Amino acid sequence: MSHYKTTLANEAATLALGKCLAHALQPGLSIFLHGDLGAGKTALTRAMIHAAGHSGHVKSPTYTLVEPYLIRLQERNVNIMHFDLYRMSSAEEFLDAGFREEFNEHNICIVEWPEKADGVLPTPDLNIFLRVAGDGREVELHALSDKGIACLALLQFAPNL
Ligand SMILES: Nc1ncnc2c1ncn2[C@@H]1O[C@H](COP(=O)(O)OP(=O)(O)OP(=O)(O)O)[C@@H](O)[C@H]1O
Ligand SMILES: [Mg+2]
């Protein structure tokens, strides 16, 4: 399965999706989150990072552009790099900051507003599109690699999705 679409009726459903996706996290994975302001990109990311074992605050890295979270995964220390590129002015800024190097086989990269770094970002394993739909959200997930397909495979067995 390389494509999955569902409705997230409320924030709890977004959190359930994040929790489920957290089980598929592995070093080197990258996920891009698409959607308008307030679509739920940070809410989903926060749920993933918490479910991955980070117990502290997960803030929106709007001004810092990236926030790292060190987690323990498969008996290794792994950084989840949470990017929010909304305020980035150019793709050059992305390169100058050394962000491209963070996309490697060790880190997990989750990116809000990847459109801002079009052309300099590598292809993700998973593209997630969030849309406001009534009081809830619609979500579409597109896997672009075997790692991405493994993420989607988990969703079939999620009770709340
Ligand atoms: N499935 C859902 N149904 C209704 N509300 C939701 C749902 N999921 C998340 N929300 C709410 O939508 C808002 C989304 O905010 P969030 O900061 O996650 O958006 P965002 O996509 O990261 O926006 P930005 O582009 O500004 O970073 C939050 O108030 C959250 O509680
Ligand atoms: Mg956000």
Side-chain angles (χ1 to χ4, degrees), residues 3-134:
H3 179 234
Y4 186 86
K5 186 176 176 177
T6 191
T7 302
L8 304 168
N10 49 40
E11 186 169 6
T14 300
L15 301 189
L17 174 63
K19 203 170 169 181
C20 187
L21 287 172
H23 292 290
L25 294 180
Q26 53 172 303
L29 185 80
S30 64
I31 301 176
F32 290 0
L33 297 171
H34 308 265
D36 286 341
L37 293 167
K41 301 180 293 297
T42 300
L44 182 61
T45 305
R46 192 173 281 137
M48 275 190 267
I49 293 173
H50 280 151
H54 173 78
S55 53
H57 190 54
V58 174
K59 61 183 178 192
S60 187
T62 311
Y63 292 96
T64 53
L65 300 182
V66 65
E67 200 64 50
Y69 298 91
L70 187 64
I71 60 152
R72 201 74 189 145
L73 192 64
Q74 297 155 10
E75 294 173 14
R76 287 159 68 178
N77 288 327
V78 177
N79 264 316
I80 300 182
M81 307 299 293
H82 176 202
F83 290 90
D84 181 345
L85 304 179
Y86 185 69
R87 290 187 188 272
M88 205 176 64
S89 47
S90 67
E92 285 72 45
E93 194 183 336
F94 180 88
L95 297 174
D96 291 347
F99 290 163
R100 186 66 179 73
E101 284 70 52
E102 300 294 352
F103 292 75
N104 56 45
E105 72 270 31
H106 306 293
N107 291 341
I108 293 165
C109 290
I110 303 176
V111 187
E112 296 186 42
W113 293 101
E115 299 80 7
K116 299 279 179 174
D118 244 356
V120 291
L121 274 170
T123 304
D125 297 295
L126 194 62
N127 261 323
I128 301 182
F129 300 86
L130 284 155
R131 247 184 321 272
V132 174

